[in-house]
Amino acid sequence: TPRVFSGIKPSGGLTLGNYLGAIKKFVATQGSMETIYCVVDLHAITVWQDPDDLRNATREVAAGYLASGLDPSQSILFNQSQVSAHAELGWIFNCVARVGWMNRMTQFKEKAGKNAEKQSLGLYAYPSLMAADILLYHATQVPVGEDQKQHVELTRDIAAKFNHDYKVDFFPQPDPVIDGPATRVMNLRDGTKKMSKSGQSDMERINMTDDADTIAKKFKKARTDPEPLPETYDGLAERPEARNLVDIYAALSDVTPAEVVTEYAGAGWGQFKPALADLAVSKLAPISEEMARMMDDPAEIDRVLAEGADRARAIADPILAKTYEIVGMVGR
Ligand code: TYM
């Protein structure tokens, strides 16, 4: 059976981008395939995380998974650091991947900017740990947002080089699963930038834990142009902020952006923005309420993660053992 793997970094709170680009798809996939969803805490520390904040964010991502409908009896839910095979296979892949491959990773370049020399070595090697996350389970499907596409392609290159170098047919070629209107949710203040957990201003993003008033205020203040909504979706081609709001509406209501434009053709922002805010609140409020309830009982979240880690290890450990054997490590 095809196996699905994906993960979210606990580096700050979950955003609407994480929800629409990732979590909502995780939930939709559950049940039809074997699904493994990770809270990738080892990835989070590639940039500085205060230890208490990291613990809290790890539990918050887990609570976001559960409150959105991921069910530990149908999906394996765990945090990465509890399954040491991730770090071990990550090391082997550091020895398979080439420096030139890492130098082409656009996300590192964007994050590091002119300060590449000051970044952690972990941030640079990050995509090879991500390859280990996926290939440790022989996963073939990886639901992600657009920004992770290049990392999944690198994962394919690492798998192919490993198989080639060791003359085996061991690691499969995983496919990124990137579809729907919200594969790249944009920043509410600048439609050319991605909505992210770490943007400077909180007004740029909708957090999954924002209350109804905050969501309404953020959409109200979202940057747009003065034109009303066009008659057709093509009319949004040169209007990134406007298109982003239409795409968000479409993703939240499970219709196509073209249908949203048809419904609101000619409407002004004074009409569309409150409708979008109401829609977002109706979808997010039940989730954030459940997240808050769960965060009051961290021991229960930790129990779910520990149990998921046991199940993850049962799949990962034999694959790591076989990898060590292929590579020529004595023992085990
Ligand atoms: P991360 O934590 O940055 O984001 C988690 C997921 O949310 C998606 N996403 C978005 N989708 C649409 N619009 C946005 N504005 C937006 N922002 C974030 C991301 O594409 C991602 O799917 N490297 C990964 C975590 C990771 C991983 C893996 C993913 C580690 N190992 C193995 C898949 C498989 C990351 O930093 O995602």
Side-chain angles (χ1 to χ4, degrees), residues 5-9 15 17-18 20-22 40 43 107 126 130 133-134 142-148 151 182-186 194-197:
F5 183 96
S6 197
I8 297 183
K9 276 190 316 255
T15 69
N18 297 134
L20 295 176
V40 289
H43 275 95
Q107 184 163 315
Y126 172 120
M130 178 162 160
D133 298 339
I134 297 165
V142 188
V144 283
E146 182 67 41
D147 62 327
Q148 297 301 320
H151 294 157
T183 59
R184 189 172 174 81
V185 176
M186 306 311 275
K194 187 184 72 167
M195 182 184 287
S196 82
K197 301 180 192 104

PDB file of all heavy atoms in Angstrom, residues 5-9 15 17-18 20-22 40 43 107 126 130 133-134 142-148 151 182-186 194-197, ligand 1:
ATOM      1  N   PHE A   5       3.998  10.384   3.999  1.00  0.00           N
ATOM      2  CA  PHE A   5       4.720  11.007   5.108  1.00  0.00           C
ATOM      3  C   PHE A   5       4.741  12.510   4.904  1.00  0.00           C
ATOM      4  O   PHE A   5       4.975  12.994   3.796  1.00  0.00           O
ATOM      5  CB  PHE A   5       6.176  10.510   5.201  1.00  0.00           C
ATOM      6  CG  PHE A   5       6.911  11.092   6.386  1.00  0.00           C
ATOM      7  CD1 PHE A   5       6.999  10.389   7.576  1.00  0.00           C
ATOM      8  CD2 PHE A   5       7.467  12.371   6.325  1.00  0.00           C
ATOM      9  CE1 PHE A   5       7.641  10.944   8.692  1.00  0.00           C
ATOM     10  CE2 PHE A   5       8.100  12.936   7.442  1.00  0.00           C
ATOM     11  CZ  PHE A   5       8.196  12.224   8.610  1.00  0.00           C
ATOM     12  N   SER A   6       4.505  13.262   5.978  1.00  0.00           N
ATOM     13  CA  SER A   6       4.760  14.690   5.922  1.00  0.00           C
ATOM     14  C   SER A   6       5.028  15.215   7.323  1.00  0.00           C
ATOM     15  O   SER A   6       4.826  14.498   8.312  1.00  0.00           O
ATOM     16  CB  SER A   6       3.617  15.446   5.246  1.00  0.00           C
ATOM     17  OG  SER A   6       4.068  16.744   4.865  1.00  0.00           O
ATOM     18  N   GLY A   7       5.473  16.450   7.391  1.00  0.00           N
ATOM     19  CA  GLY A   7       5.816  17.014   8.692  1.00  0.00           C
ATOM     20  C   GLY A   7       5.698  18.520   8.729  1.00  0.00           C
ATOM     21  O   GLY A   7       5.672  19.183   7.693  1.00  0.00           O
ATOM     22  N   ILE A   8       5.612  19.047   9.942  1.00  0.00           N
ATOM     23  CA  ILE A   8       5.568  20.490  10.166  1.00  0.00           C
ATOM     24  C   ILE A   8       6.561  20.828  11.273  1.00  0.00           C
ATOM     25  O   ILE A   8       6.642  20.128  12.283  1.00  0.00           O
ATOM     26  CB  ILE A   8       4.143  20.956  10.541  1.00  0.00           C
ATOM     27  CG1 ILE A   8       3.180  20.684   9.370  1.00  0.00           C
ATOM     28  CG2 ILE A   8       4.134  22.431  10.928  1.00  0.00           C
ATOM     29  CD1 ILE A   8       1.754  21.172   9.612  1.00  0.00           C
ATOM     30  N   LYS A   9       7.298  21.926  11.076  1.00  0.00           N
ATOM     31  CA  LYS A   9       8.287  22.370  12.059  1.00  0.00           C
ATOM     32  C   LYS A   9       7.610  23.106  13.211  1.00  0.00           C
ATOM     33  O   LYS A   9       6.821  24.017  12.958  1.00  0.00           O
ATOM     34  CB  LYS A   9       9.221  23.419  11.428  1.00  0.00           C
ATOM     35  CG  LYS A   9      10.371  22.878  10.662  1.00  0.00           C
ATOM     36  CD  LYS A   9      11.342  23.995  10.305  1.00  0.00           C
ATOM     37  CE  LYS A   9      10.704  25.250   9.805  1.00  0.00           C
ATOM     38  NZ  LYS A   9      10.772  25.545   8.406  1.00  0.00           N
ATOM     39  N   THR A  15       0.106  28.540  11.063  1.00  0.00           N
ATOM     40  CA  THR A  15      -0.567  29.591  10.299  1.00  0.00           C
ATOM     41  C   THR A  15      -1.654  28.985   9.398  1.00  0.00           C
ATOM     42  O   THR A  15      -1.704  27.771   9.189  1.00  0.00           O
ATOM     43  CB  THR A  15       0.415  30.331   9.381  1.00  0.00           C
ATOM     44  OG1 THR A  15       0.831  29.433   8.351  1.00  0.00           O
ATOM     45  CG2 THR A  15       1.625  30.841  10.140  1.00  0.00           C
ATOM     46  N   GLY A  17      -1.522  29.218   6.335  1.00  0.00           N
ATOM     47  CA  GLY A  17      -0.745  28.561   5.270  1.00  0.00           C
ATOM     48  C   GLY A  17      -0.466  27.106   5.597  1.00  0.00           C
ATOM     49  O   GLY A  17      -0.629  26.221   4.757  1.00  0.00           O
ATOM     50  N   ASN A  18      -0.061  26.841   6.838  1.00  0.00           N
ATOM     51  CA  ASN A  18       0.173  25.455   7.253  1.00  0.00           C
ATOM     52  C   ASN A  18      -1.118  24.650   7.199  1.00  0.00           C
ATOM     53  O   ASN A  18      -1.104  23.473   6.827  1.00  0.00           O
ATOM     54  CB  ASN A  18       0.707  25.387   8.700  1.00  0.00           C
ATOM     55  CG  ASN A  18       2.041  26.061   8.878  1.00  0.00           C
ATOM     56  OD1 ASN A  18       2.227  26.815   9.822  1.00  0.00           O
ATOM     57  ND2 ASN A  18       2.992  25.815   7.989  1.00  0.00           N
ATOM     58  N   LEU A  20      -3.975  25.231   5.333  1.00  0.00           N
ATOM     59  CA  LEU A  20      -4.504  24.977   3.983  1.00  0.00           C
ATOM     60  C   LEU A  20      -3.506  24.213   3.110  1.00  0.00           C
ATOM     61  O   LEU A  20      -3.898  23.375   2.311  1.00  0.00           O
ATOM     62  CB  LEU A  20      -4.892  26.291   3.315  1.00  0.00           C
ATOM     63  CG  LEU A  20      -6.054  27.048   3.975  1.00  0.00           C
ATOM     64  CD1 LEU A  20      -6.280  28.383   3.272  1.00  0.00           C
ATOM     65  CD2 LEU A  20      -7.340  26.209   3.975  1.00  0.00           C
ATOM     66  N   GLY A  21      -2.210  24.520   3.263  1.00  0.00           N
ATOM     67  CA  GLY A  21      -1.200  23.887   2.416  1.00  0.00           C
ATOM     68  C   GLY A  21      -0.846  22.483   2.868  1.00  0.00           C
ATOM     69  O   GLY A  21      -0.385  21.669   2.057  1.00  0.00           O
ATOM     70  N   ALA A  22      -1.055  22.189   4.142  1.00  0.00           N
ATOM     71  CA  ALA A  22      -0.598  20.901   4.659  1.00  0.00           C
ATOM     72  C   ALA A  22      -1.685  20.162   5.458  1.00  0.00           C
ATOM     73  O   ALA A  22      -2.199  19.136   5.013  1.00  0.00           O
ATOM     74  CB  ALA A  22       0.658  21.109   5.511  1.00  0.00           C
ATOM     75  N   VAL A  40       8.353  17.959  13.289  1.00  0.00           N
ATOM     76  CA  VAL A  40       9.789  17.814  13.039  1.00  0.00           C
ATOM     77  C   VAL A  40      10.605  18.766  13.920  1.00  0.00           C
ATOM     78  O   VAL A  40      11.126  19.787  13.476  1.00  0.00           O
ATOM     79  CB  VAL A  40      10.126  17.944  11.533  1.00  0.00           C
ATOM     80  CG1 VAL A  40       9.637  16.718  10.769  1.00  0.00           C
ATOM     81  CG2 VAL A  40       9.520  19.186  10.899  1.00  0.00           C
ATOM     82  N   HIS A  43      14.210  19.557  12.964  1.00  0.00           N
ATOM     83  CA  HIS A  43      14.309  20.594  11.940  1.00  0.00           C
ATOM     84  C   HIS A  43      14.164  21.993  12.541  1.00  0.00           C
ATOM     85  O   HIS A  43      14.775  22.941  12.067  1.00  0.00           O
ATOM     86  CB  HIS A  43      13.232  20.406  10.864  1.00  0.00           C
ATOM     87  CG  HIS A  43      13.620  19.446   9.793  1.00  0.00           C
ATOM     88  ND1 HIS A  43      13.270  18.117   9.833  1.00  0.00           N
ATOM     89  CD2 HIS A  43      14.342  19.605   8.663  1.00  0.00           C
ATOM     90  CE1 HIS A  43      13.761  17.518   8.758  1.00  0.00           C
ATOM     91  NE2 HIS A  43      14.415  18.395   8.032  1.00  0.00           N
ATOM     92  N   GLN A 107      15.376  27.704  -0.638  1.00  0.00           N
ATOM     93  CA  GLN A 107      14.902  28.099   0.694  1.00  0.00           C
ATOM     94  C   GLN A 107      16.072  28.523   1.584  1.00  0.00           C
ATOM     95  O   GLN A 107      15.956  29.489   2.340  1.00  0.00           O
ATOM     96  CB  GLN A 107      14.092  26.973   1.350  1.00  0.00           C
ATOM     97  CG  GLN A 107      13.516  27.422   2.688  1.00  0.00           C
ATOM     98  CD  GLN A 107      12.385  26.539   3.185  1.00  0.00           C
ATOM     99  OE1 GLN A 107      11.478  26.162   2.451  1.00  0.00           O
ATOM    100  NE2 GLN A 107      12.439  26.188   4.434  1.00  0.00           N
ATOM    101  N   TYR A 126      19.756  20.744   6.219  1.00  0.00           N
ATOM    102  CA  TYR A 126      18.345  20.468   6.498  1.00  0.00           C
ATOM    103  C   TYR A 126      17.655  19.580   5.454  1.00  0.00           C
ATOM    104  O   TYR A 126      16.970  18.622   5.809  1.00  0.00           O
ATOM    105  CB  TYR A 126      17.712  21.846   6.618  1.00  0.00           C
ATOM    106  CG  TYR A 126      16.252  22.027   6.727  1.00  0.00           C
ATOM    107  CD1 TYR A 126      15.716  22.659   7.850  1.00  0.00           C
ATOM    108  CD2 TYR A 126      15.371  21.642   5.733  1.00  0.00           C
ATOM    109  CE1 TYR A 126      14.370  22.888   7.953  1.00  0.00           C
ATOM    110  CE2 TYR A 126      14.025  21.863   5.849  1.00  0.00           C
ATOM    111  CZ  TYR A 126      13.526  22.486   6.953  1.00  0.00           C
ATOM    112  OH  TYR A 126      12.191  22.692   7.062  1.00  0.00           O
ATOM    113  N   MET A 130      15.460  16.039   5.843  1.00  0.00           N
ATOM    114  CA  MET A 130      14.080  15.910   5.334  1.00  0.00           C
ATOM    115  C   MET A 130      13.972  14.678   4.422  1.00  0.00           C
ATOM    116  O   MET A 130      12.973  13.947   4.466  1.00  0.00           O
ATOM    117  CB  MET A 130      13.678  17.182   4.596  1.00  0.00           C
ATOM    118  CG  MET A 130      12.298  17.123   4.009  1.00  0.00           C
ATOM    119  SD  MET A 130      11.672  18.780   3.620  1.00  0.00           S
ATOM    120  CE  MET A 130      10.387  18.339   2.434  1.00  0.00           C
ATOM    121  N   ASP A 133      13.646  11.751   6.654  1.00  0.00           N
ATOM    122  CA  ASP A 133      12.291  11.633   7.223  1.00  0.00           C
ATOM    123  C   ASP A 133      11.392  10.802   6.301  1.00  0.00           C
ATOM    124  O   ASP A 133      10.652   9.919   6.744  1.00  0.00           O
ATOM    125  CB  ASP A 133      11.631  13.010   7.370  1.00  0.00           C
ATOM    126  CG  ASP A 133      12.362  13.953   8.301  1.00  0.00           C
ATOM    127  OD1 ASP A 133      13.143  13.483   9.147  1.00  0.00           O
ATOM    128  OD2 ASP A 133      12.138  15.182   8.161  1.00  0.00           O
ATOM    129  N   ILE A 134      11.471  11.135   5.040  1.00  0.00           N
ATOM    130  CA  ILE A 134      10.563  10.529   4.054  1.00  0.00           C
ATOM    131  C   ILE A 134      10.990   9.092   3.729  1.00  0.00           C
ATOM    132  O   ILE A 134      10.187   8.162   3.766  1.00  0.00           O
ATOM    133  CB  ILE A 134      10.559  11.386   2.767  1.00  0.00           C
ATOM    134  CG1 ILE A 134      10.025  12.799   3.066  1.00  0.00           C
ATOM    135  CG2 ILE A 134       9.758  10.698   1.652  1.00  0.00           C
ATOM    136  CD1 ILE A 134      10.304  13.827   1.969  1.00  0.00           C
ATOM    137  N   VAL A 142       4.110  12.682  -0.560  1.00  0.00           N
ATOM    138  CA  VAL A 142       4.492  13.708   0.411  1.00  0.00           C
ATOM    139  C   VAL A 142       3.643  14.959   0.193  1.00  0.00           C
ATOM    140  O   VAL A 142       3.963  15.807  -0.643  1.00  0.00           O
ATOM    141  CB  VAL A 142       5.994  14.048   0.278  1.00  0.00           C
ATOM    142  CG1 VAL A 142       6.429  14.971   1.412  1.00  0.00           C
ATOM    143  CG2 VAL A 142       6.857  12.792   0.252  1.00  0.00           C
ATOM    144  N   PRO A 143       2.506  15.072   0.910  1.00  0.00           N
ATOM    145  CA  PRO A 143       1.681  16.286   0.776  1.00  0.00           C
ATOM    146  C   PRO A 143       2.378  17.486   1.416  1.00  0.00           C
ATOM    147  O   PRO A 143       2.696  17.448   2.604  1.00  0.00           O
ATOM    148  CB  PRO A 143       0.385  15.920   1.521  1.00  0.00           C
ATOM    149  CG  PRO A 143       0.733  14.783   2.422  1.00  0.00           C
ATOM    150  CD  PRO A 143       1.944  14.093   1.852  1.00  0.00           C
ATOM    151  N   VAL A 144       2.621  18.504   0.632  1.00  0.00           N
ATOM    152  CA  VAL A 144       3.323  19.710   1.103  1.00  0.00           C
ATOM    153  C   VAL A 144       2.820  20.923   0.338  1.00  0.00           C
ATOM    154  O   VAL A 144       2.147  20.800  -0.690  1.00  0.00           O
ATOM    155  CB  VAL A 144       4.854  19.617   0.870  1.00  0.00           C
ATOM    156  CG1 VAL A 144       5.530  18.726   1.898  1.00  0.00           C
ATOM    157  CG2 VAL A 144       5.185  19.175  -0.546  1.00  0.00           C
ATOM    158  N   GLY A 145       3.179  22.105   0.833  1.00  0.00           N
ATOM    159  CA  GLY A 145       2.975  23.339   0.094  1.00  0.00           C
ATOM    160  C   GLY A 145       4.056  23.478  -0.975  1.00  0.00           C
ATOM    161  O   GLY A 145       5.075  22.773  -0.949  1.00  0.00           O
ATOM    162  N   GLU A 146       3.817  24.426  -1.871  1.00  0.00           N
ATOM    163  CA  GLU A 146       4.719  24.664  -3.002  1.00  0.00           C
ATOM    164  C   GLU A 146       6.188  24.875  -2.572  1.00  0.00           C
ATOM    165  O   GLU A 146       7.118  24.421  -3.245  1.00  0.00           O
ATOM    166  CB  GLU A 146       4.197  25.909  -3.740  1.00  0.00           C
ATOM    167  CG  GLU A 146       4.945  26.321  -4.974  1.00  0.00           C
ATOM    168  CD  GLU A 146       4.830  25.325  -6.116  1.00  0.00           C
ATOM    169  OE1 GLU A 146       3.712  24.794  -6.323  1.00  0.00           O
ATOM    170  OE2 GLU A 146       5.847  25.076  -6.774  1.00  0.00           O
ATOM    171  N   ASP A 147       6.377  25.522  -1.434  1.00  0.00           N
ATOM    172  CA  ASP A 147       7.748  25.862  -1.002  1.00  0.00           C
ATOM    173  C   ASP A 147       8.617  24.637  -0.691  1.00  0.00           C
ATOM    174  O   ASP A 147       9.833  24.769  -0.602  1.00  0.00           O
ATOM    175  CB  ASP A 147       7.700  26.807   0.211  1.00  0.00           C
ATOM    176  CG  ASP A 147       7.014  26.177   1.419  1.00  0.00           C
ATOM    177  OD1 ASP A 147       6.081  25.378   1.234  1.00  0.00           O
ATOM    178  OD2 ASP A 147       7.420  26.467   2.553  1.00  0.00           O
ATOM    179  N   GLN A 148       7.995  23.469  -0.515  1.00  0.00           N
ATOM    180  CA  GLN A 148       8.774  22.268  -0.190  1.00  0.00           C
ATOM    181  C   GLN A 148       9.049  21.387  -1.407  1.00  0.00           C
ATOM    182  O   GLN A 148       9.683  20.341  -1.294  1.00  0.00           O
ATOM    183  CB  GLN A 148       8.055  21.444   0.887  1.00  0.00           C
ATOM    184  CG  GLN A 148       7.903  22.170   2.207  1.00  0.00           C
ATOM    185  CD  GLN A 148       9.235  22.577   2.798  1.00  0.00           C
ATOM    186  OE1 GLN A 148      10.221  21.832   2.749  1.00  0.00           O
ATOM    187  NE2 GLN A 148       9.304  23.790   3.334  1.00  0.00           N
ATOM    188  N   HIS A 151      12.663  20.459  -2.106  1.00  0.00           N
ATOM    189  CA  HIS A 151      13.224  19.526  -1.128  1.00  0.00           C
ATOM    190  C   HIS A 151      12.790  18.086  -1.423  1.00  0.00           C
ATOM    191  O   HIS A 151      13.550  17.151  -1.176  1.00  0.00           O
ATOM    192  CB  HIS A 151      12.811  19.914   0.288  1.00  0.00           C
ATOM    193  CG  HIS A 151      13.388  21.224   0.745  1.00  0.00           C
ATOM    194  ND1 HIS A 151      12.835  21.980   1.743  1.00  0.00           N
ATOM    195  CD2 HIS A 151      14.473  21.917   0.317  1.00  0.00           C
ATOM    196  CE1 HIS A 151      13.552  23.076   1.934  1.00  0.00           C
ATOM    197  NE2 HIS A 151      14.554  23.066   1.074  1.00  0.00           N
ATOM    198  N   ALA A 182      -4.543  26.448  -2.599  1.00  0.00           N
ATOM    199  CA  ALA A 182      -3.792  27.080  -1.509  1.00  0.00           C
ATOM    200  C   ALA A 182      -2.414  26.445  -1.325  1.00  0.00           C
ATOM    201  O   ALA A 182      -1.973  26.211  -0.210  1.00  0.00           O
ATOM    202  CB  ALA A 182      -4.583  26.999  -0.209  1.00  0.00           C
ATOM    203  N   THR A 183      -1.722  26.170  -2.421  1.00  0.00           N
ATOM    204  CA  THR A 183      -0.390  25.564  -2.307  1.00  0.00           C
ATOM    205  C   THR A 183       0.658  26.599  -1.896  1.00  0.00           C
ATOM    206  O   THR A 183       1.736  26.250  -1.478  1.00  0.00           O
ATOM    207  CB  THR A 183       0.034  24.929  -3.635  1.00  0.00           C
ATOM    208  OG1 THR A 183       0.039  25.956  -4.631  1.00  0.00           O
ATOM    209  CG2 THR A 183      -0.938  23.842  -4.052  1.00  0.00           C
ATOM    210  N   ARG A 184       0.314  27.863  -2.052  1.00  0.00           N
ATOM    211  CA  ARG A 184       1.206  28.946  -1.604  1.00  0.00           C
ATOM    212  C   ARG A 184       0.352  30.118  -1.125  1.00  0.00           C
ATOM    213  O   ARG A 184       0.025  31.033  -1.890  1.00  0.00           O
ATOM    214  CB  ARG A 184       2.117  29.353  -2.765  1.00  0.00           C
ATOM    215  CG  ARG A 184       3.221  30.303  -2.372  1.00  0.00           C
ATOM    216  CD  ARG A 184       4.197  30.512  -3.530  1.00  0.00           C
ATOM    217  NE  ARG A 184       5.175  31.529  -3.220  1.00  0.00           N
ATOM    218  CZ  ARG A 184       6.280  31.326  -2.492  1.00  0.00           C
ATOM    219  NH1 ARG A 184       6.563  30.133  -2.046  1.00  0.00           N
ATOM    220  NH2 ARG A 184       7.093  32.301  -2.240  1.00  0.00           N
ATOM    221  N   VAL A 185      -0.039  30.083   0.135  1.00  0.00           N
ATOM    222  CA  VAL A 185      -0.826  31.168   0.717  1.00  0.00           C
ATOM    223  C   VAL A 185       0.123  32.341   0.959  1.00  0.00           C
ATOM    224  O   VAL A 185       1.202  32.164   1.527  1.00  0.00           O
ATOM    225  CB  VAL A 185      -1.477  30.715   2.048  1.00  0.00           C
ATOM    226  CG1 VAL A 185      -2.226  31.870   2.704  1.00  0.00           C
ATOM    227  CG2 VAL A 185      -2.413  29.526   1.809  1.00  0.00           C
ATOM    228  N   MET A 186      -0.286  33.518   0.519  1.00  0.00           N
ATOM    229  CA  MET A 186       0.610  34.662   0.588  1.00  0.00           C
ATOM    230  C   MET A 186       0.355  35.499   1.839  1.00  0.00           C
ATOM    231  O   MET A 186      -0.712  35.432   2.464  1.00  0.00           O
ATOM    232  CB  MET A 186       0.472  35.528  -0.678  1.00  0.00           C
ATOM    233  CG  MET A 186       0.665  34.760  -1.989  1.00  0.00           C
ATOM    234  SD  MET A 186       2.145  33.726  -2.054  1.00  0.00           S
ATOM    235  CE  MET A 186       3.345  34.933  -2.573  1.00  0.00           C
ATOM    236  N   LYS A 194       5.396  34.818   0.820  1.00  0.00           N
ATOM    237  CA  LYS A 194       4.663  33.712   1.430  1.00  0.00           C
ATOM    238  C   LYS A 194       4.230  34.067   2.856  1.00  0.00           C
ATOM    239  O   LYS A 194       4.964  34.726   3.578  1.00  0.00           O
ATOM    240  CB  LYS A 194       5.616  32.508   1.445  1.00  0.00           C
ATOM    241  CG  LYS A 194       5.033  31.211   1.872  1.00  0.00           C
ATOM    242  CD  LYS A 194       6.111  30.124   1.924  1.00  0.00           C
ATOM    243  CE  LYS A 194       7.044  30.332   3.102  1.00  0.00           C
ATOM    244  NZ  LYS A 194       7.913  29.173   3.389  1.00  0.00           N
ATOM    245  N   MET A 195       3.053  33.601   3.254  1.00  0.00           N
ATOM    246  CA  MET A 195       2.647  33.714   4.661  1.00  0.00           C
ATOM    247  C   MET A 195       3.492  32.726   5.461  1.00  0.00           C
ATOM    248  O   MET A 195       3.513  31.549   5.120  1.00  0.00           O
ATOM    249  CB  MET A 195       1.159  33.371   4.831  1.00  0.00           C
ATOM    250  CG  MET A 195       0.656  33.511   6.268  1.00  0.00           C
ATOM    251  SD  MET A 195      -1.061  33.003   6.504  1.00  0.00           S
ATOM    252  CE  MET A 195      -1.973  34.329   5.720  1.00  0.00           C
ATOM    253  N   SER A 196       4.178  33.214   6.492  1.00  0.00           N
ATOM    254  CA  SER A 196       5.022  32.291   7.247  1.00  0.00           C
ATOM    255  C   SER A 196       4.902  32.535   8.736  1.00  0.00           C
ATOM    256  O   SER A 196       4.440  33.582   9.183  1.00  0.00           O
ATOM    257  CB  SER A 196       6.479  32.394   6.796  1.00  0.00           C
ATOM    258  OG  SER A 196       7.097  33.484   7.440  1.00  0.00           O
ATOM    259  N   LYS A 197       5.333  31.514   9.501  1.00  0.00           N
ATOM    260  CA  LYS A 197       5.285  31.573  10.959  1.00  0.00           C
ATOM    261  C   LYS A 197       6.185  32.681  11.476  1.00  0.00           C
ATOM    262  O   LYS A 197       5.984  33.195  12.551  1.00  0.00           O
ATOM    263  CB  LYS A 197       5.815  30.263  11.571  1.00  0.00           C
ATOM    264  CG  LYS A 197       5.095  28.986  11.173  1.00  0.00           C
ATOM    265  CD  LYS A 197       5.755  27.787  11.873  1.00  0.00           C
ATOM    266  CE  LYS A 197       5.307  26.457  11.318  1.00  0.00           C
ATOM    267  NZ  LYS A 197       6.311  25.834  10.451  1.00  0.00           N
TER     268      LYS A 197
HETATM  269  P1  TYM B   1       7.071  24.083   7.419  1.00  0.00           P
HETATM  270  O1  TYM B   1       7.036  23.740   8.858  1.00  0.00           O
HETATM  271  O2  TYM B   1       7.701  25.360   7.015  1.00  0.00           O
HETATM  272  O3  TYM B   1       5.621  24.074   6.836  1.00  0.00           O
HETATM  273  C1  TYM B   1       4.777  22.949   7.048  1.00  0.00           C
HETATM  274  C2  TYM B   1       3.903  22.696   5.834  1.00  0.00           C
HETATM  275  O4  TYM B   1       3.091  23.830   5.562  1.00  0.00           O
HETATM  276  C3  TYM B   1       3.294  24.249   4.232  1.00  0.00           C
HETATM  277  N1  TYM B   1       3.209  25.707   4.174  1.00  0.00           N
HETATM  278  C4  TYM B   1       2.445  26.382   3.324  1.00  0.00           C
HETATM  279  N2  TYM B   1       1.586  25.978   2.375  1.00  0.00           N
HETATM  280  C5  TYM B   1       0.944  26.922   1.679  1.00  0.00           C
HETATM  281  N3  TYM B   1       1.106  28.251   1.882  1.00  0.00           N
HETATM  282  C6  TYM B   1       1.962  28.710   2.837  1.00  0.00           C
HETATM  283  N4  TYM B   1       2.117  30.003   3.035  1.00  0.00           N
HETATM  284  C7  TYM B   1       2.675  27.751   3.606  1.00  0.00           C
HETATM  285  N5  TYM B   1       3.575  27.853   4.602  1.00  0.00           N
HETATM  286  C8  TYM B   1       3.902  26.596   4.932  1.00  0.00           C
HETATM  287  C9  TYM B   1       4.684  23.769   3.872  1.00  0.00           C
HETATM  288  O5  TYM B   1       4.857  23.672   2.469  1.00  0.00           O
HETATM  289  C10 TYM B   1       4.724  22.444   4.552  1.00  0.00           C
HETATM  290  O6  TYM B   1       4.082  21.452   3.786  1.00  0.00           O
HETATM  291  N6  TYM B   1      10.762  21.230   5.643  1.00  0.00           N
HETATM  292  C11 TYM B   1       9.372  21.244   6.042  1.00  0.00           C
HETATM  293  C12 TYM B   1       9.056  20.261   7.134  1.00  0.00           C
HETATM  294  C13 TYM B   1       9.491  18.864   6.857  1.00  0.00           C
HETATM  295  C14 TYM B   1       8.866  17.933   5.974  1.00  0.00           C
HETATM  296  C15 TYM B   1       9.622  16.732   6.083  1.00  0.00           C
HETATM  297  C16 TYM B   1       7.769  17.997   5.121  1.00  0.00           C
HETATM  298  C17 TYM B   1      10.552  18.240   7.440  1.00  0.00           C
HETATM  299  N7  TYM B   1      10.613  16.936   6.983  1.00  0.00           N
HETATM  300  C18 TYM B   1       9.293  15.602   5.356  1.00  0.00           C
HETATM  301  C19 TYM B   1       7.447  16.862   4.394  1.00  0.00           C
HETATM  302  C20 TYM B   1       8.188  15.677   4.501  1.00  0.00           C
HETATM  303  C21 TYM B   1       9.018  22.636   6.548  1.00  0.00           C
HETATM  304  O7  TYM B   1       9.875  23.390   6.955  1.00  0.00           O
HETATM  305  O8  TYM B   1       7.710  22.872   6.581  1.00  0.00           O
END
